[in-house]
Amino acid sequence: MRTLSSFFILCLVSFNNAMFYDTTPRLYDFGPGTIGAPMLFRYSFGDATMGPPYEFRFKFAQFPQYDKTIVSDQNGEDYVVTFESAKAGNYTVQIDAWYSRHGIPFHWIGTLNSTFQLTDSLTGTIAVNDDARKKVVFTAETFKLSAILSYYFGFFNSANMTYKWIINDEVQEESSKVIVHTFSQPRLNNISVIVTATKTNGSDLIQKSGTFSTTLESKDPITNFTVDGPTEVKVFERLQLDCKIHGGTPPFEFDYFFWIDNPYSEHINVIKPSNESLFSLIRYFSAKGKRSLKIVAKNDVSSITKWMDISVY
């Protein structure tokens, strides 16, 4: 898995006015690029009706000095550009793709027009236990928070980095890339880190800052789960099992699964969402036999499972 410790990748995102007659373009977006830091444009298309070589013509309407034609044996190409003298904003790029023979384009594959964004700030994310997509955590447990720059190829590896963490409007004493934090109560937590990078690039001193933010919801885990009620009932007699969740932050979900394999096969699976910690499971059975029962009580951060046998006579 690639890490986010080096250069930032920005790939083409918009399919505005795109025309491809015999290929399907694959385009990706990883966020805005930073002025003065290399940015990578990645373009590729699907199976082609003709073989290589291919010719890719990159044209930047606002930055013609970066226009470039690349000949490749692959059905895709990366083009790295460093926009030194630019202002923050949205810009356009056009890519023309051709089949080429002996250095001469002879068959047009298609044209794609797209937009990209430049910013004068650092870009990145906050990861929770190395997971940048995590949005829910549980209380009373320590989590690792990491500030991750969105740059590839190590451009800022040699930079002097500073970090200022702010959690729920409180500045943290830690000032490193990675801190640990315990969320003591259920709530919505606003987390941000101000990152500053200073480095020398040739004779130039580059200093960039950026704020990475995320919101984490902390919830109490379920501490116990009890089920009260009979384990024997007659045919067509009402079975009621009272289920209670102890602790935990709602919403909850009760999943229960009855099954019997002998003397016949019968499976019943029910999922019951609830904002309450109490739930009454009510069933009637039309035939004798021993049913196995699995009940799972869970919320976003925990789950507890109970197993029971119900005899129907």
Side-chain angles (χ1 to χ4, degrees):
M1 178 178 179
R2 293 181 302 178
T3 64
L4 296 175
S5 61
S6 46
F7 263 136
F8 165 77
I9 289 184
L10 171 70
C11 301
L12 309 176
V13 298
S14 300
F15 290 86
N16 303 331
N17 302 320
M19 295 175 289
F20 282 83
Y21 284 91
D22 54 0
T23 62
T24 302
R26 294 191 296 269
L27 311 174
Y28 309 91
D29 172 26
F30 294 86
T34 297
I35 299 168
M39 190 166 83
L40 189 149
F41 291 85
R42 174 162 293 167
Y43 164 76
S44 65
F45 57 84
D47 295 335
T49 58
M50 301 181 187
Y54 308 107
E55 185 174 296
F56 303 98
R57 300 177 182 178
F58 292 81
K59 298 179 181 179
F60 298 89
Q62 296 84 7
F63 306 103
Q65 66 271 33
Y66 298 115
D67 291 354
K68 188 173 183 178
T69 297
I70 301 175
V71 177
S72 174
D73 288 336
Q74 305 298 319
N75 61 337
E77 193 60 41
D78 289 351
Y79 179 32
V80 177
V81 184
T82 301
F83 297 96
E84 298 285 359
S85 299
K87 295 181 179 180
N90 295 319
Y91 298 95
T92 59
V93 61
Q94 175 180 304
I95 300 177
D96 293 303
W98 293 77
Y99 295 109
S100 178
R101 288 292 182 270
H102 307 294
I104 300 174
F106 75 95
H107 180 71
W108 176 60
I109 298 174
T111 296
L112 183 105
N113 293 284
S114 187
T115 61
F116 63 95
Q117 183 182 1
L118 291 178
T119 177
D120 204 32
S121 302
L122 294 176
T123 63
T125 58
I126 295 175
V128 182
N129 288 352
D130 299 322
D131 184 356
R133 296 173 297 180
K134 193 173 185 66
K135 295 300 180 184
V136 180
V137 296
F138 51 88
T139 56
E141 180 76 14
T142 298
F143 289 89
K144 180 178 71 173
L145 305 176
S146 305
I148 302 177
L149 289 174
S150 301
Y151 298 86
Y152 289 76
F153 312 119
F155 183 72
F156 286 107
N157 283 1
S158 60
N160 178 32
M161 308 294 299
T162 63
Y163 303 87
K164 181 181 178 181
W165 288 88
I166 304 170
I167 300 178
N168 297 325
D169 297 325
E170 294 184 3
V171 177
Q172 305 300 297
E173 294 183 2
E174 301 95 330
S175 58
S176 60
K177 176 182 177 180
V178 179
I179 66 171
V180 294
H181 189 79
T182 300
F183 301 93
S184 60
Q185 59 181 332
R187 62 170 295 174
L188 203 61
N189 302 278
N190 297 311
I191 302 171
S192 62
V193 57
I194 302 172
V195 183
T196 302
T198 305
K199 69 168 291 184
T200 300
N201 188 27
S203 59
D204 297 328
L205 181 67
I206 298 176
Q207 186 175 67
K208 302 287 183 180
S209 294
T211 301
F212 314 157
S213 300
T214 190
T215 301
L216 297 178
E217 187 172 5
S218 53
K219 295 187 174 185
D220 286 335
I222 297 171
T223 58
N224 195 14
F225 176 49
T226 56
V227 180
D228 294 324
T231 57
E232 293 185 354
V233 292
K234 296 180 180 180
V235 174
F236 295 118
E237 184 180 24
R238 172 191 172 108
L239 171 69
Q240 178 170 330
L241 299 175
D242 295 323
C243 307
K244 180 174 176 58
I245 289 176
H246 302 266
T249 304
F252 302 110
E253 184 177 285
F254 295 90
D255 299 355
Y256 63 91
F257 183 46
F258 282 103
W259 73 93
I260 184 172
D261 294 321
N262 290 304
Y264 59 91
S265 179
E266 178 184 82
H267 297 163
I268 300 172
N269 190 24
V270 177
I271 298 175
K272 175 72 174 178
S274 175
N275 285 319
E276 303 296 330
S277 59
L278 296 173
F279 168 68
S280 292
L281 190 163
I282 299 173
R283 299 295 302 182
Y284 296 88
F285 301 98
S286 60
K288 297 179 181 179
K290 184 178 179 181
R291 270 75 173 175
S292 298
L293 171 61
K294 173 185 175 182
I295 310 176
V296 181
K298 53 183 160 181
N299 66 355
D300 288 333
V301 294
S302 61
S303 67
I304 296 180
T305 301
K306 293 289 186 181
W307 298 85
M308 303 175 65
D309 287 327
I310 305 297
S311 297
V312 182
Y313 62 95

